[in-house]
């Protein structure tokens, strides 16, 4: 079986574990984009600590869940978003204005849409969580 998107597999396993009420989830394989996405989720308080386990292959991540995630999704293809288009994407993807985050990859790194708006930069959309 060929993996289409490592990020999509990761986010799907997090969503499924959260719905089942699990406290931890094992994610494999590991990538830099997945680690940065999880760091953004951790900064916003949606997941607890996570640990990267190096198994001399593709790596694994053990994520501690705290029960705050309702939905996590990956957007494919990674559409370009200009600064003025961020508002349209938030209204389409998120349930309300004050709730949830869209994750963008910009020239300044991977960040939420609010950080991108504060830094006045656009980028490509990776996914969302709320």
């Amino acid at each position: 079986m060929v993996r289409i998107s490592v990020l999509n597999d990761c986010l799907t396993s997090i969503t499924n574990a959260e719905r089942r009420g699990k406290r931890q989830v094992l994610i494999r394989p590991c990538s830099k984009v997945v680690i940065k996405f999880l760091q953004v989720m951790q900064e916003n308080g949606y997941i607890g600590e996570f640990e990267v386990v190096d198994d001399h292959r593709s790596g694994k991540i053990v994520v501690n869940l705290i029960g705050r995630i309702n939905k996590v999704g990956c957007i494919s293809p990674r559409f370009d978003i200009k600064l003025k288009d961020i508002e349209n994407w938030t209204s389409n993807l998120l349930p309300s204005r004050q709730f949830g985050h869209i994750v963008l990859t910009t020239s300044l790194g991977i960040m939420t849409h609010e950080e991108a708006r504060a830094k006045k930069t656009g980028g490509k959309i990776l996914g969302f969580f709320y």
Side-chain angles (χ1 to χ4, degrees):
M1 186 73 190
V2 179
R3 288 193 189 266
I4 305 299
S5 170
V6 175
L7 180 63
N8 193 16
D9 292 344
C10 162
L11 299 180
T12 303
S13 63
I14 288 176
T15 304
N16 291 342
E18 189 76 60
R19 287 188 178 149
R20 292 282 299 137
K22 305 284 188 192
R23 304 309 303 157
Q24 282 187 334
V25 60
L26 179 71
I27 297 165
R28 48 173 288 273
C30 172
S31 74
K32 290 179 186 176
V33 174
V34 170
I35 291 171
K36 293 288 187 185
F37 198 101
L38 291 175
Q39 283 175 347
V40 170
M41 289 176 70
Q42 187 179 22
E43 289 167 8
N44 289 294
Y46 281 82
I47 60 172
E49 296 291 319
F50 65 91
E51 179 183 359
V52 179
V53 179
D54 183 27
D55 59 355
H56 299 293
R57 290 179 183 85
S58 59
K60 298 176 184 172
I61 306 173
V62 178
V63 180
N64 293 325
L65 302 174
I66 56 175
R68 280 204 56 203
I69 297 174
N70 294 320
K71 188 166 185 185
V72 183
C74 178
I75 304 297
S76 180
R78 295 180 179 171
F79 293 107
D80 289 326
I81 297 183
K82 295 178 182 164
L83 183 62
K84 62 179 194 262
D85 296 336
I86 291 177
E87 190 63 39
N88 295 339
W89 280 91
T90 55
S91 63
N92 288 340
L93 289 175
L94 301 178
S96 76
R97 291 176 61 113
Q98 303 88 12
F99 192 64
H101 301 278
I102 292 177
V103 181
L104 304 172
T105 176
T106 67
S107 57
L108 303 174
I110 294 178
M111 62 186 75
T112 64
H113 68 280
E114 291 153 351
E115 294 173 44
R117 195 179 290 145
K119 293 180 180 178
K120 293 185 171 48
T121 182
K124 291 186 180 291
I125 186 166
L126 283 179
F128 61 93
F129 58 92
Y130 56 85

